[in-house]
Amino acid sequence: MAANGEEQQTQAGRHQEVGHKSLLQSDALYQYILETSVYPREPESMKELREVTAKHPWNIMTTSADEGQFLNMLLKLINAKNTMEIGVYTGYSLLATALAIPDDGKILAMDINKENYELGLPIIEKAGVAHKIDFREGPALPVLDLLVEDKKNYGSFDFIFVDADKDNYINYHKRLIDLVKVGGLIGYDNTLWNGSVVAPPDAPLRKYVRYYRDFVLELNKALAADPRIEICMLPVGDGITLCRRIK
């Protein structure tokens, strides 16, 4: 009985951010951050989109509310105007970006699933920022290859956010480094990958976590060795690595 009681207590103490496991040791501390800093200042449209997404069966794919707040402030700090997002899902991070950039700002947004994007689109439209978004359905690599072919696109993006197929992160980086401007930022999401990056080889991991872990480890090693960027890995959400292009 004691074990069951402890389990129930643990479940009751878990943070309420649907679909996300905080990397903080204390769930109560993460809940404190959400309730004290994030939720009171969250725009109504982002709250509405977060609640709609929480009902989706794949809600684990969404950007957490604290990361959305972080991205929104970061974009304002760097005065981003021309941005890109690879991996949109229902559009929570996309909305955070659209609300942060100026009225004539642009976001090139790519995802293989338009249906998920259309779940959040009415909320984005109601927020008055849909005109900033150029959504492309399909894989991102062909779009990036076209952009890279034209040297006019080199250095044209202020900020790029990647939250998509981890096995292609390095392929994205090879192209994005030319497209982001010197002084601009690329943000790679999930670089701590459920904390699995430090799990022993025989750790009991969910199949998809185990499958992508090696790709995340490979990316982290490659970013740390890339002389064209400065990096900062942050334990926000599932881990986000910011890369500032320096040459």
Side-chain angles (χ1 to χ4, degrees), residues 211-227:
Y211 175 76
Y212 287 114
R213 178 178 61 169
D214 287 346
F215 294 107
V216 174
L217 288 168
E218 185 187 5
L219 172 81
N220 291 340
K221 193 181 287 188
L223 295 180
D226 191 337

Side-chain angles (χ1 to χ4, degrees), residues 17 19 23 35 92 100 125 133 141 155 159 188-189 201 211 245:
E17 182 69 358
L23 290 165
E35 290 177 359
Y92 188 78
E125 288 173 339
I133 299 166
L141 285 174
F159 179 79
Y188 290 102
D189 204 20
Y211 175 76
R245 186 181 168 197

